[in-house]
Amino acid sequence: LPATKAAAAKLYPNPVKDKLLLKPISDPIQFVVYNQLGQRVRRGTLNPPSAIVYTSGLATGVYFIQLSNEKGISQTEKFYKAY
């Protein structure tokens, strides 16, 4: 996440099967994944250049991922976990 723009990270593929990829990131970012009920189901740190969130243990459905960097810039994106 660049320091000047919170909505710079792109998630793909969406829907996702077992790996959610983020691009571009140049600094480490923290992530938290929430289900539709607002329950935290996964969290961790992503380090460049391979920003991968493993989703294979999640049930099929809609999720939200909150991303934040060390500078306090954050963004939340919705993704769909398929099969």
Side-chain angles (χ1 to χ4, degrees):
L1 297 171
T4 57
K5 191 173 181 184
K10 303 294 181 200
L11 306 175
Y12 67 96
N14 195 4
V16 61
K17 182 177 179 184
D18 53 8
K19 291 181 187 175
L20 183 64
L21 307 170
L22 282 81
K23 260 189 168 177
I25 67 164
S26 56
D27 298 315
I29 57 174
Q30 304 294 317
F31 74 91
V32 182
V33 176
Y34 297 95
N35 63 18
Q36 292 183 61
L37 302 175
Q39 299 166 322
R40 185 177 65 202
V41 294
R42 188 149 301 159
R43 68 178 180 177
T45 301
L46 300 172
N47 294 300
S50 58
I52 300 170
V53 177
Y54 293 95
T55 60
S56 58
L58 299 177
T60 299
V62 175
Y63 292 87
F64 299 89
I65 184 166
Q66 182 180 23
L67 308 167
S68 58
N69 66 15
E70 297 172 348
K71 298 173 181 120
I73 296 173
S74 66
Q75 74 182 76
T76 302
E77 300 288 337
K78 181 168 70 171
F79 70 93
Y80 181 75
K81 168 67 168 90
Y83 40 106

